[in-house]
Amino acid sequence: MSRAAKVTLGASILGSALIIWGVHFMQNRERETMFQGVIRDDERRREKMRQREEELQRSMQKRELYERVQSTEPLAIRGNRRVVNLQHEQSSCTTILGGLVLLSIMLLFDENIRPRLLFAKSSRS
């Protein structure tokens, strides 16, 4: 084999080896970059979960505060509105009946209420 053929063969083997090494190097670097993306995604997911847990804690604290301020127990009459809770229907009915009895006793014995109610009825007709 001539010297030129040997140089050409060596150069092509060396070139091929460098190309193969370069492709493997780029694949490894790309794999590491992709793995870093997975790590970043996991970190983002953990951060979102932490934020959701904090929001849940704040929501639970607000609920506790609201429940302390505003009763969740059923009331038969609140202002002019009637509130009915199906779980406590019997207690609501007895409270409503008690309120009606109290109102009728007040109407019977209180002279100041009766005339106003009578005049209110007659003025509407």
Side-chain angles (χ1 to χ4, degrees):
M1 215 161 48
S2 68
R3 180 180 264 203
K6 290 180 184 177
V7 171
T8 304
L9 179 64
S12 59
I13 290 175
L14 182 64
S16 297
L18 287 174
I19 289 173
I20 291 171
W21 178 82
V23 168
H24 284 293
F25 177 76
M26 288 173 57
Q27 283 178 344
N28 287 336
R29 196 166 79 186
E30 185 176 323
R31 188 178 307 125
E32 288 175 11
T33 304
M34 289 173 62
F35 184 70
Q36 293 301 321
V38 170
I39 291 174
R40 281 192 306 270
D41 288 345
D42 286 343
E43 188 63 35
R44 267 191 233 119
R45 202 172 309 128
R46 275 189 230 117
E47 180 64 25
K48 280 186 180 180
M49 194 65 146
R50 186 187 63 77
Q51 288 174 353
R52 288 179 183 152
E53 287 175 358
E54 287 176 357
E55 182 64 32
L56 177 65
Q57 291 297 325
R58 283 194 299 269
S59 175
M60 290 173 69
Q61 289 172 350
K62 285 179 185 178
R63 181 182 177 147
E64 289 174 11
L65 176 67
Y66 293 150
E67 286 179 352
R68 272 189 267 137
V69 172
Q70 181 177 2
S71 174
T72 56
E73 293 298 317
L75 298 175
I77 298 175
R78 183 182 294 164
N80 293 331
R81 296 178 301 160
R82 185 175 139 199
V83 178
V84 176
N85 187 340
L86 295 178
Q87 293 177 347
H88 299 80
E89 185 175 337
Q90 184 178 6
S91 65
S92 296
C93 289
T94 55
T95 308
I96 290 171
L97 288 175
L100 291 174
V101 168
L102 181 64
L103 181 61
S104 47
I105 291 172
M106 287 173 52
L107 287 174
L108 288 174
F109 293 107
D110 192 353
E111 295 295 325
N112 295 326
I113 294 178
R114 246 188 314 176
R116 275 189 273 155
L117 289 175
L118 292 174
F119 287 125
K121 286 182 183 178
S122 64
S123 65
R124 286 184 188 167
S125 350

PDB file of all heavy atoms in Angstrom, residues 103-123:
ATOM      1  N   LEU A 103     -95.932  35.016  70.047  1.00  0.00           N
ATOM      2  CA  LEU A 103     -96.511  36.136  69.314  1.00  0.00           C
ATOM      3  C   LEU A 103     -97.997  36.278  69.613  1.00  0.00           C
ATOM      4  O   LEU A 103     -98.505  37.381  69.825  1.00  0.00           O
ATOM      5  CB  LEU A 103     -96.281  35.950  67.814  1.00  0.00           C
ATOM      6  CG  LEU A 103     -96.806  37.045  66.904  1.00  0.00           C
ATOM      7  CD1 LEU A 103     -96.129  38.379  67.225  1.00  0.00           C
ATOM      8  CD2 LEU A 103     -96.615  36.679  65.457  1.00  0.00           C
ATOM      9  N   SER A 104     -98.718  35.145  69.644  1.00  0.00           N
ATOM     10  CA  SER A 104    -100.144  35.242  69.931  1.00  0.00           C
ATOM     11  C   SER A 104    -100.396  35.700  71.366  1.00  0.00           C
ATOM     12  O   SER A 104    -101.329  36.473  71.611  1.00  0.00           O
ATOM     13  CB  SER A 104    -100.852  33.924  69.651  1.00  0.00           C
ATOM     14  OG  SER A 104    -100.159  32.860  70.211  1.00  0.00           O
ATOM     15  N   ILE A 105     -99.571  35.304  72.318  1.00  0.00           N
ATOM     16  CA  ILE A 105     -99.727  35.792  73.700  1.00  0.00           C
ATOM     17  C   ILE A 105     -99.469  37.290  73.744  1.00  0.00           C
ATOM     18  O   ILE A 105    -100.206  38.039  74.392  1.00  0.00           O
ATOM     19  CB  ILE A 105     -98.779  35.029  74.651  1.00  0.00           C
ATOM     20  CG1 ILE A 105     -99.244  33.585  74.796  1.00  0.00           C
ATOM     21  CG2 ILE A 105     -98.696  35.711  76.007  1.00  0.00           C
ATOM     22  CD1 ILE A 105     -98.289  32.702  75.546  1.00  0.00           C
ATOM     23  N   MET A 106     -98.438  37.727  73.023  1.00  0.00           N
ATOM     24  CA  MET A 106     -98.152  39.168  72.998  1.00  0.00           C
ATOM     25  C   MET A 106     -99.316  39.929  72.385  1.00  0.00           C
ATOM     26  O   MET A 106     -99.694  41.000  72.843  1.00  0.00           O
ATOM     27  CB  MET A 106     -96.865  39.438  72.211  1.00  0.00           C
ATOM     28  CG  MET A 106     -95.615  39.028  72.942  1.00  0.00           C
ATOM     29  SD  MET A 106     -94.123  39.153  71.928  1.00  0.00           S
ATOM     30  CE  MET A 106     -94.207  40.800  71.326  1.00  0.00           C
ATOM     31  N   LEU A 107     -99.928  39.386  71.331  1.00  0.00           N
ATOM     32  CA  LEU A 107    -101.056  40.056  70.689  1.00  0.00           C
ATOM     33  C   LEU A 107    -102.265  40.125  71.617  1.00  0.00           C
ATOM     34  O   LEU A 107    -103.017  41.103  71.610  1.00  0.00           O
ATOM     35  CB  LEU A 107    -101.431  39.338  69.397  1.00  0.00           C
ATOM     36  CG  LEU A 107    -100.478  39.532  68.231  1.00  0.00           C
ATOM     37  CD1 LEU A 107    -100.898  38.650  67.073  1.00  0.00           C
ATOM     38  CD2 LEU A 107    -100.428  40.975  67.808  1.00  0.00           C
ATOM     39  N   LEU A 108    -102.467  39.082  72.420  1.00  0.00           N
ATOM     40  CA  LEU A 108    -103.612  39.072  73.319  1.00  0.00           C
ATOM     41  C   LEU A 108    -103.466  40.067  74.463  1.00  0.00           C
ATOM     42  O   LEU A 108    -104.434  40.716  74.868  1.00  0.00           O
ATOM     43  CB  LEU A 108    -103.836  37.669  73.888  1.00  0.00           C
ATOM     44  CG  LEU A 108    -104.391  36.647  72.912  1.00  0.00           C
ATOM     45  CD1 LEU A 108    -104.419  35.282  73.564  1.00  0.00           C
ATOM     46  CD2 LEU A 108    -105.780  37.044  72.457  1.00  0.00           C
ATOM     47  N   PHE A 109    -102.275  40.179  75.024  1.00  0.00           N
ATOM     48  CA  PHE A 109    -102.111  40.944  76.248  1.00  0.00           C
ATOM     49  C   PHE A 109    -101.460  42.302  76.071  1.00  0.00           C
ATOM     50  O   PHE A 109    -101.463  43.093  77.005  1.00  0.00           O
ATOM     51  CB  PHE A 109    -101.304  40.119  77.269  1.00  0.00           C
ATOM     52  CG  PHE A 109    -102.056  38.919  77.736  1.00  0.00           C
ATOM     53  CD1 PHE A 109    -101.697  37.654  77.318  1.00  0.00           C
ATOM     54  CD2 PHE A 109    -103.147  39.057  78.574  1.00  0.00           C
ATOM     55  CE1 PHE A 109    -102.387  36.546  77.752  1.00  0.00           C
ATOM     56  CE2 PHE A 109    -103.848  37.945  79.014  1.00  0.00           C
ATOM     57  CZ  PHE A 109    -103.468  36.685  78.600  1.00  0.00           C
ATOM     58  N   ASP A 110    -100.885  42.579  74.942  1.00  0.00           N
ATOM     59  CA  ASP A 110    -100.228  43.873  74.778  1.00  0.00           C
ATOM     60  C   ASP A 110    -101.144  44.803  73.997  1.00  0.00           C
ATOM     61  O   ASP A 110    -101.422  44.590  72.831  1.00  0.00           O
ATOM     62  CB  ASP A 110     -98.883  43.701  74.055  1.00  0.00           C
ATOM     63  CG  ASP A 110     -98.033  44.954  74.113  1.00  0.00           C
ATOM     64  OD1 ASP A 110     -98.525  45.987  74.588  1.00  0.00           O
ATOM     65  OD2 ASP A 110     -96.874  44.873  73.677  1.00  0.00           O
ATOM     66  N   GLU A 111    -101.607  45.824  74.641  1.00  0.00           N
ATOM     67  CA  GLU A 111    -102.540  46.775  74.038  1.00  0.00           C
ATOM     68  C   GLU A 111    -101.878  47.621  72.950  1.00  0.00           C
ATOM     69  O   GLU A 111    -102.545  48.097  72.050  1.00  0.00           O
ATOM     70  CB  GLU A 111    -103.113  47.701  75.114  1.00  0.00           C
ATOM     71  CG  GLU A 111    -103.954  46.971  76.134  1.00  0.00           C
ATOM     72  CD  GLU A 111    -105.212  46.377  75.508  1.00  0.00           C
ATOM     73  OE1 GLU A 111    -105.764  46.999  74.594  1.00  0.00           O
ATOM     74  OE2 GLU A 111    -105.615  45.290  75.932  1.00  0.00           O
ATOM     75  N   ASN A 112    -100.578  47.829  73.031  1.00  0.00           N
ATOM     76  CA  ASN A 112     -99.899  48.682  72.055  1.00  0.00           C
ATOM     77  C   ASN A 112     -99.716  47.993  70.705  1.00  0.00           C
ATOM     78  O   ASN A 112     -99.669  48.637  69.673  1.00  0.00           O
ATOM     79  CB  ASN A 112     -98.529  49.118  72.574  1.00  0.00           C
ATOM     80  CG  ASN A 112     -98.657  50.010  73.794  1.00  0.00           C
ATOM     81  OD1 ASN A 112     -99.611  50.779  73.897  1.00  0.00           O
ATOM     82  ND2 ASN A 112     -97.733  49.888  74.714  1.00  0.00           N
ATOM     83  N   ILE A 113     -99.607  46.690  70.705  1.00  0.00           N
ATOM     84  CA  ILE A 113     -99.376  45.972  69.452  1.00  0.00           C
ATOM     85  C   ILE A 113    -100.678  45.793  68.681  1.00  0.00           C
ATOM     86  O   ILE A 113    -100.732  45.980  67.481  1.00  0.00           O
ATOM     87  CB  ILE A 113     -98.719  44.602  69.722  1.00  0.00           C
ATOM     88  CG1 ILE A 113     -97.328  44.806  70.284  1.00  0.00           C
ATOM     89  CG2 ILE A 113     -98.646  43.785  68.446  1.00  0.00           C
ATOM     90  CD1 ILE A 113     -96.630  43.529  70.629  1.00  0.00           C
ATOM     91  N   ARG A 114    -101.773  45.434  69.377  1.00  0.00           N
ATOM     92  CA  ARG A 114    -103.042  45.139  68.715  1.00  0.00           C
ATOM     93  C   ARG A 114    -103.545  46.270  67.828  1.00  0.00           C
ATOM     94  O   ARG A 114    -103.876  46.034  66.671  1.00  0.00           O
ATOM     95  CB  ARG A 114    -104.096  44.781  69.753  1.00  0.00           C
ATOM     96  CG  ARG A 114    -104.512  43.359  69.622  1.00  0.00           C
ATOM     97  CD  ARG A 114    -105.666  43.035  70.492  1.00  0.00           C
ATOM     98  NE  ARG A 114    -105.478  43.570  71.835  1.00  0.00           N
ATOM     99  CZ  ARG A 114    -106.371  43.507  72.785  1.00  0.00           C
ATOM    100  NH1 ARG A 114    -107.526  42.953  72.536  1.00  0.00           N
ATOM    101  NH2 ARG A 114    -106.143  43.988  73.969  1.00  0.00           N
ATOM    102  N   PRO A 115    -103.627  47.519  68.289  1.00  0.00           N
ATOM    103  CA  PRO A 115    -104.149  48.566  67.415  1.00  0.00           C
ATOM    104  C   PRO A 115    -103.298  48.764  66.164  1.00  0.00           C
ATOM    105  O   PRO A 115    -103.823  48.979  65.083  1.00  0.00           O
ATOM    106  CB  PRO A 115    -104.132  49.805  68.294  1.00  0.00           C
ATOM    107  CG  PRO A 115    -104.163  49.295  69.682  1.00  0.00           C
ATOM    108  CD  PRO A 115    -103.450  47.986  69.648  1.00  0.00           C
ATOM    109  N   ARG A 116    -101.973  48.659  66.298  1.00  0.00           N
ATOM    110  CA  ARG A 116    -101.128  48.844  65.117  1.00  0.00           C
ATOM    111  C   ARG A 116    -101.381  47.755  64.085  1.00  0.00           C
ATOM    112  O   ARG A 116    -101.441  48.016  62.900  1.00  0.00           O
ATOM    113  CB  ARG A 116     -99.648  48.840  65.515  1.00  0.00           C
ATOM    114  CG  ARG A 116     -99.177  50.215  65.955  1.00  0.00           C
ATOM    115  CD  ARG A 116     -97.704  50.245  66.138  1.00  0.00           C
ATOM    116  NE  ARG A 116     -97.438  49.815  67.519  1.00  0.00           N
ATOM    117  CZ  ARG A 116     -96.319  49.275  67.936  1.00  0.00           C
ATOM    118  NH1 ARG A 116     -95.351  49.063  67.093  1.00  0.00           N
ATOM    119  NH2 ARG A 116     -96.141  48.942  69.177  1.00  0.00           N
ATOM    120  N   LEU A 117    -101.548  46.532  64.528  1.00  0.00           N
ATOM    121  CA  LEU A 117    -101.820  45.452  63.594  1.00  0.00           C
ATOM    122  C   LEU A 117    -103.177  45.634  62.933  1.00  0.00           C
ATOM    123  O   LEU A 117    -103.341  45.377  61.752  1.00  0.00           O
ATOM    124  CB  LEU A 117    -101.755  44.103  64.307  1.00  0.00           C
ATOM    125  CG  LEU A 117    -100.354  43.651  64.723  1.00  0.00           C
ATOM    126  CD1 LEU A 117    -100.432  42.365  65.519  1.00  0.00           C
ATOM    127  CD2 LEU A 117     -99.474  43.461  63.513  1.00  0.00           C
ATOM    128  N   LEU A 118    -104.166  46.093  63.696  1.00  0.00           N
ATOM    129  CA  LEU A 118    -105.497  46.304  63.125  1.00  0.00           C
ATOM    130  C   LEU A 118    -105.469  47.415  62.093  1.00  0.00           C
ATOM    131  O   LEU A 118    -106.066  47.321  61.034  1.00  0.00           O
ATOM    132  CB  LEU A 118    -106.518  46.615  64.228  1.00  0.00           C
ATOM    133  CG  LEU A 118    -106.817  45.437  65.172  1.00  0.00           C
ATOM    134  CD1 LEU A 118    -107.719  45.916  66.304  1.00  0.00           C
ATOM    135  CD2 LEU A 118    -107.476  44.313  64.410  1.00  0.00           C
ATOM    136  N   PHE A 119    -104.775  48.509  62.418  1.00  0.00           N
ATOM    137  CA  PHE A 119    -104.712  49.618  61.471  1.00  0.00           C
ATOM    138  C   PHE A 119    -103.917  49.221  60.244  1.00  0.00           C
ATOM    139  O   PHE A 119    -104.229  49.620  59.124  1.00  0.00           O
ATOM    140  CB  PHE A 119    -104.083  50.866  62.099  1.00  0.00           C
ATOM    141  CG  PHE A 119    -104.995  51.536  63.081  1.00  0.00           C
ATOM    142  CD1 PHE A 119    -104.601  51.779  64.373  1.00  0.00           C
ATOM    143  CD2 PHE A 119    -106.276  51.922  62.692  1.00  0.00           C
ATOM    144  CE1 PHE A 119    -105.439  52.402  65.262  1.00  0.00           C
ATOM    145  CE2 PHE A 119    -107.122  52.545  63.587  1.00  0.00           C
ATOM    146  CZ  PHE A 119    -106.700  52.790  64.886  1.00  0.00           C
ATOM    147  N   ALA A 120    -102.876  48.414  60.413  1.00  0.00           N
ATOM    148  CA  ALA A 120    -102.079  47.984  59.265  1.00  0.00           C
ATOM    149  C   ALA A 120    -102.922  47.152  58.317  1.00  0.00           C
ATOM    150  O   ALA A 120    -102.839  47.280  57.112  1.00  0.00           O
ATOM    151  CB  ALA A 120    -100.862  47.194  59.745  1.00  0.00           C
ATOM    152  N   LYS A 121    -103.799  46.307  58.847  1.00  0.00           N
ATOM    153  CA  LYS A 121    -104.655  45.489  57.999  1.00  0.00           C
ATOM    154  C   LYS A 121    -105.673  46.341  57.270  1.00  0.00           C
ATOM    155  O   LYS A 121    -105.936  46.156  56.092  1.00  0.00           O
ATOM    156  CB  LYS A 121    -105.371  44.428  58.820  1.00  0.00           C
ATOM    157  CG  LYS A 121    -104.498  43.298  59.248  1.00  0.00           C
ATOM    158  CD  LYS A 121    -105.295  42.278  60.016  1.00  0.00           C
ATOM    159  CE  LYS A 121    -104.406  41.158  60.512  1.00  0.00           C
ATOM    160  NZ  LYS A 121    -105.156  40.184  61.309  1.00  0.00           N
ATOM    161  N   SER A 122    -106.263  47.308  57.980  1.00  0.00           N
ATOM    162  CA  SER A 122    -107.316  48.105  57.358  1.00  0.00           C
ATOM    163  C   SER A 122    -106.764  49.081  56.326  1.00  0.00           C
ATOM    164  O   SER A 122    -107.417  49.388  55.346  1.00  0.00           O
ATOM    165  CB  SER A 122    -108.102  48.872  58.438  1.00  0.00           C
ATOM    166  OG  SER A 122    -107.240  49.791  59.087  1.00  0.00           O
ATOM    167  N   SER A 123    -105.533  49.552  56.486  1.00  0.00           N
ATOM    168  CA  SER A 123    -104.982  50.505  55.530  1.00  0.00           C
ATOM    169  C   SER A 123    -104.575  49.818  54.230  1.00  0.00           C
ATOM    170  O   SER A 123    -104.511  50.445  53.195  1.00  0.00           O
ATOM    171  CB  SER A 123    -103.781  51.251  56.143  1.00  0.00           C
ATOM    172  OG  SER A 123    -102.743  50.312  56.377  1.00  0.00           O
TER     173      SER A 123
END
